[in-house]
Amino acid sequence: MHRRFHYISFVLPLLLLTSSLPGMEQLGENKIVDIALNAPSKQRFPDAKAVILLDRWEYTISPDSIHQVEYMRAIKFQSYGGMKKYENYQISYNSHWWDLELLSAYSISSDGKINQVDSTQINYTKPRGIEGAATQYVKTKVMVVSFPALEDSSTVFIHYKFTSKGKLGYPYAFDKVIAGTEPVCKFELTVNYPQSFNIIYRALN
């Protein structure tokens, strides 16, 4: 096994000996609260509605081409507009190809109090405009996670993963946009793959 490190990403070859896929390293609630309470001040990003404090993405490919994609995000609101954007967090996926599991979701108030998302705050809907589309597109779903007890200075945390329902084929390509309209304080990308696979990656500014 060897490791190659990059400023934004690292690639980690693994020899997977079991059918189970490794999961992302967990961060405890105390760690996430600490990140939230030590977030950059609003003066640092005065024009941002929200700030991405942590954005972790882990992609695992098994030797039999089963894929698992895991996301972990902590988002700090800086305004009412930021709260409105993320209060109902939407996760789109195609249930024909993927299973989706919500691993953790909660909000953190400005004093560090954690407010867990419960089952009544998780709903499913369909994106607009897919009526009459091919079967694989009709199975596109959106999980909507509604965070509780929010204020315009709250932080929300969400951790979820996709697992493919079968082989997605090889070679396989994907890309990841690091930052959109919100500043990103910390971004981590991990790719786990068998030693027999050849991985080509590039980081673009």
Side-chain angles (χ1 to χ4, degrees), residues 2-13 189-190 201:
H2 68 279
R3 299 189 180 202
R4 290 183 294 176
F5 290 87
H6 191 277
Y7 176 68
I8 355 181
S9 66
F10 65 86
V11 180
L12 174 61
L189 168 63
T190 305
Y201 71 101

Side-chain angles (χ1 to χ4, degrees), residues 41-195:
S41 66
K42 188 172 182 180
Q43 288 70 31
R44 182 176 174 185
F45 303 109
D47 298 325
K49 295 180 180 180
V51 176
I52 311 300
L53 302 178
L54 177 65
D55 192 359
R56 302 176 72 184
W57 192 46
E58 183 161 317
Y59 203 110
T60 302
I61 308 169
S62 73
D64 55 357
S65 292
I66 300 299
H67 295 239
Q68 178 177 286
V69 191
E70 197 165 344
Y71 294 91
M72 181 185 292
R73 304 187 84 193
I75 304 168
K76 168 77 172 179
F77 306 151
Q78 293 212 125
S79 67
Y80 177 78
M83 182 183 71
K84 294 302 293 181
K85 181 174 181 178
Y86 290 106
E87 64 180 351
N88 296 305
Y89 193 98
Q90 298 188 20
I91 307 169
S92 299
Y93 70 107
N94 191 314
S95 61
H96 181 77
W97 301 109
W98 299 93
D99 287 320
L100 170 60
E101 181 181 0
L102 181 64
L103 301 173
S104 180
Y106 51 84
S107 66
I108 303 170
S109 62
S110 57
D111 62 359
K113 180 182 178 181
I114 292 176
N115 304 283
Q116 297 285 349
V117 169
D118 63 38
S119 59
T120 65
Q121 294 159 331
I122 303 169
N123 296 284
Y124 293 85
T125 185
K126 288 185 175 292
R128 297 178 180 178
I130 64 170
E131 295 80 3
T135 302
Q136 62 266 34
Y137 297 107
V138 171
K139 292 189 176 181
T140 299
K141 296 181 179 180
V142 180
M143 174 190 282
V144 182
V145 180
S146 299
F147 290 99
L150 294 181
E151 53 191 9
D152 60 11
S153 58
S154 295
T155 299
V156 294
F157 174 80
I158 191 161
H159 182 194
Y160 57 97
K161 71 177 180 181
F162 300 100
T163 304
S164 66
K165 292 185 175 181
K167 296 181 180 181
L168 293 185
Y170 177 76
Y172 186 77
F174 63 89
D175 55 33
K176 170 68 176 175
V177 177
I178 296 175
T181 57
E182 283 82 32
V184 177
C185 295
K186 186 175 184 180
F187 172 80
E188 298 175 9
L189 168 63
T190 305
V191 181
N192 304 310
Y193 62 94
Q195 290 178 331

